[in-house]
Amino acid sequence: MRSLLARLSLCALFPLLIACQPVETSTGNSSNTAEPAKPIVLKLAHGWPKGFPVFGESVEDYAALVEELSGGRILLKVDSTNKHKSAFGIFDFVKSGQYDIGQTASYYYGGKDPDALFFSSMPLGMTTQEQYAWFYHGGGLDLANQVYAKHNIEVELGGNTGMQMGGWFRKEIKSVDDLKGLRMRIPGFAGKVVAGVGVVPTNIPAGELFQALERGTLDALEWVGPALDLRMGFHKVAPYYYVGWHEPGTELMYFFNKDSMAKLPEWAVSILKNAARLTAYRMTTHTFAENSENWSTIAEQFPNVQVKEFPSEVMQALRESNQALLQAESERSEFAKSVLDSRAAYLKKARAWTRIGTQAYLETVAE
Ligand code: CA
């Protein structure tokens, strides 16, 4: 008995270095027979179609990484929307325990908890690097976990899209008046911001976007950036491609059901959480690579695409709408105020460094 305990504690400390006894989660069976122990099998749901570029691929990468790091002792059964049929159902799946783990974007769940809107990206807010620093070193991830703990969920970061483009428009935007009544797919806090200047925002699933834009059901849409936009074909029907302002670094997340995690040994939870962090890094670099590659293709092969900046009058109206919304959110609850204050303070500090670091570099070396 003593040697078994010693072995288990060694397993907790060095799960990758010694052969640990796999744990049967459903029955708790730990017999001493010679039968090989069954691996831990967990269910994971993500919010994308099967094989979806970058986002879906990243989850497959996560599952493979968990299996590799655990020496095959943890297996993830991954379901896409093809299976579970609910792109925006990941929150409820994990909260209820129907799935042990989920991968999605927090800002899809503002209807479940209004504070969930603050943990993907905020309009006119932090860039990818700045926001990672906030999540990991500025208390951001702890704040996210405070929100999700109320829903029986723990979260880890899941990977970033990098700077998102401002979207594809069928007509050029020359003034605020051009935005009045414009039907645009744009989710999250940014959807509320554009509504404040007259846009009619909607959020529809990825598979329906091209047809809606082609048929004129939508006048404009934002999706991600070249990494994911090119293969959607938007450039064929909406040639004005605006630079970003509304999602300067959108983070995906892994959701973990707290009860499922509580049943696991420490080494297994450690692998699941640390594999998520490594996957986040991998997806973030993958998106950057795909953005570069696909922008090169657009620039070379589709000269009809015109990259535009919104007129300063439009940007000013968007800033004012954003500010009014932030003020209203801060008045909604003490917690919302604490998150927004934390983000604002961190942005101010991080941006000062970005300006004399990356931005000054880009200006210095510019031709
Ligand atoms: Ca987007």
Side-chain angles (χ1 to χ4, degrees):
M1 186 64 184
R2 183 172 295 166
S3 70
L4 175 63
L5 284 174
R7 182 163 191 77
L8 285 171
S9 85
L10 273 175
C11 284
L13 288 170
F14 306 110
L16 303 180
L17 300 180
I18 61 173
C20 301
Q21 181 78 5
V23 176
E24 173 59 64
T25 52
S26 57
T27 65
N29 179 8
S30 59
S31 73
N32 292 321
T33 66
E35 285 179 34
K38 292 178 182 172
I40 298 168
V41 178
L42 300 170
K43 292 180 68 182
L44 185 157
H46 65 74
W48 326 104
K50 190 171 176 57
F52 197 71
V54 187
F55 297 174
E57 289 172 336
S58 178
V59 184
E60 299 295 340
D61 184 35
Y62 175 66
L65 189 58
V66 167
E67 184 174 349
E68 180 187 334
L69 290 176
S70 67
R73 289 169 294 146
I74 309 174
L75 302 178
L76 300 184
K77 185 178 176 302
V78 176
D79 284 347
S80 68
T81 54
N82 299 60
K83 172 82 174 181
H84 60 66
K85 311 289 183 194
S86 184
F88 305 126
I90 310 303
F91 181 102
D92 283 338
F93 286 153
V94 179
K95 179 174 182 171
S96 68
Q98 187 176 345
Y99 283 86
D100 305 295
I101 306 172
Q103 186 258 27
T104 185
S106 184
Y107 70 171
Y108 290 150
Y109 303 102
K112 301 289 180 185
D113 189 319
D115 296 326
L117 280 181
F118 305 142
F119 298 100
S120 300
S121 182
M122 290 293 280
L124 306 165
M126 289 181 268
T127 63
T128 299
Q129 274 189 310
E130 291 165 348
Q131 186 172 262
Y132 266 129
W134 176 68
F135 271 128
Y136 286 140
H137 304 286
L141 189 57
D142 291 339
L143 288 167
N145 269 306
Q146 286 181 43
V147 173
Y148 281 92
K150 289 180 288 178
H151 305 285
N152 203 32
I153 293 170
E154 295 168 41
V155 298
E156 280 288 340
L157 306 184
N160 200 284
T161 66
M163 180 63 63
Q164 294 209 5
M165 291 294 282
W168 299 90
F169 289 71
R170 288 162 62 93
K171 292 181 180 165
E172 189 174 354
I173 302 302
K174 294 178 177 170
S175 68
V176 173
D177 279 348
D178 290 339
L179 294 173
K180 306 284 186 206
L182 191 92
R183 292 160 300 178
M184 181 173 184
R185 181 271 179 192
I186 175 168
F189 203 79
K192 294 171 185 270
V193 174
V194 296
V197 298
V199 171
V200 182
T202 65
N203 187 17
I204 60 178
E208 299 168 26
L209 289 173
F210 178 80
Q211 200 173 53
L213 192 63
E214 184 185 33
R215 291 184 175 175
T217 312
L218 289 177
D219 302 306
L221 60 80
E222 71 76 50
W223 178 229
V224 178
L228 282 102
D229 292 2
L230 173 61
R231 66 196 95 206
M232 302 288 271
F234 304 137
H235 55 280
K236 296 173 187 167
V237 290
Y240 299 100
Y241 201 18
Y242 278 83
V243 301
W245 64 275
H246 68 304
E247 292 188 55
T250 303
E251 189 66 30
L252 302 186
M253 264 185 186
Y254 282 92
F255 291 176
F256 300 91
N257 176 279
K258 277 179 170 282
D259 298 328
S260 297
M261 294 302 106
K263 290 176 191 164
L264 296 175
E266 279 181 31
W267 64 263
V269 175
S270 175
I271 286 175
L272 291 167
K273 299 286 180 70
N274 283 295
R277 290 188 168 210
L278 184 49
T279 303
Y281 174 72
R282 288 180 172 185
M283 195 199 96
T284 303
T285 53
H286 187 202
T287 321
F288 194 96
E290 288 288 304
N291 271 325
S292 308
E293 191 66 30
N294 289 356
W295 170 246
S296 163
T297 301
I298 293 172
E300 287 170 14
Q301 298 182 15
F302 302 101
N304 65 312
V305 172
Q306 297 183 50
V307 174
K308 294 281 182 185
E309 292 176 13
F310 290 112
S312 57
E313 168 203 329
V314 169
M315 285 311 305
Q316 186 55 30
L318 291 169
R319 269 191 285 274
E320 288 169 10
S321 176
N322 188 57
Q323 204 50 47
L325 277 165
L326 291 175
Q327 184 62 37
E329 284 295 294
S330 289
E331 289 165 6
R332 175 173 59 77
S333 78
E334 276 299 314
F335 183 81
K337 183 175 187 310
S338 72
V339 177
L340 292 172
D341 286 351
S342 171
R343 287 195 73 107
Y346 208 86
L347 170 61
K348 187 176 180 187
K349 191 179 291 182
R351 186 60 50 85
W353 162 235
T354 300
R355 288 209 190 288
I356 67 151
T358 303
Q359 185 172 345
Y361 166 77
L362 292 174
E363 288 168 5
T364 299
V365 302
E367 291 179 345

